[in-house]
C-alpha cells in the first residue's frame, strides 16, 4: 500500500528574470517548475547548506592557493634564469 503525501499550494511573486530562468531550467531538465522550485527551496532551507557552502569555498581557496604557489615557483625560476643570463 502506498501512502500519498498531500502537498500544500502556495503563491509567490517572482521577478521576470527569475521566472524566465526557472522556466528555462525546468524545460532543459524536462521537469515541472513546481518540482524545480521545491528542490531549490528545500536546498536553501536545509541545515547542511552552510556546511556545503563552506566546503565549496574551502575547495576554491585551495585551488587559488595552489595556483599562487605555482605562480611563485614560476617567478622564482624566471628570476634565476634572468640572473644567469645577466652573469653570462
Amino acid at each position: 500500500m502506498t501512502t500519498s503525501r498531500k502537498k500544500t499550494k502556495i503563491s509567490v511573486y517572482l521577478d521576470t528574470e527569475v521566472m524566465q530562468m526557472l522556466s528555462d531550467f525546468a524545460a532543459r531538465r524536462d521537469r515541472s517548475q513546481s518540482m524545480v522550485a521545491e528542490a531549490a527551496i528545500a536546498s536553501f532551507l536545509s541545515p547542511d547548506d552552510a556546511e556545503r557552502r563552506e566546503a565549496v569555498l574551502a575547495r576554491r581557496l585551495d585551488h587559488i592557493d595552489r595556483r599562487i604557489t605555482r605562480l611563485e615557483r614560476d617567478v622564482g625560476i624566471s628570476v634565476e634564469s634572468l640572473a644567469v643570463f645577466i652573469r653570462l
Side-chain angles (χ1 to χ4, degrees), residues 15-62:
D15 286 332
T16 307
E17 299 86 25
V18 174
M19 186 61 196
Q20 185 62 43
M21 290 182 345
L22 175 64
S23 299
D24 292 344
F25 186 83
R28 279 194 313 268
R29 302 288 187 202
D30 197 27
R31 301 280 186 242
S32 68
Q33 292 179 7
S34 177
M35 179 185 285
V36 172
E38 182 179 357
I41 292 169
S43 174
F44 184 78
L45 297 176
S46 70
D48 65 331
D49 185 51
E51 294 172 6
R52 205 171 352 156
R53 287 183 185 175
E54 184 178 336
V56 167
L57 183 61
R59 193 173 341 126
R60 287 181 184 168
L61 288 174
D62 286 342

Side-chain angles (χ1 to χ4, degrees), residues 4 7 10 13 32 41 44 57-58 60 66 68 74 83 88:
S4 64
K7 294 187 178 188
I10 65 167
Y13 294 100
S32 68
I41 292 169
F44 184 78
L57 183 61
R60 287 181 184 168
R66 276 185 267 160
I68 289 175
D74 293 347
L88 292 176

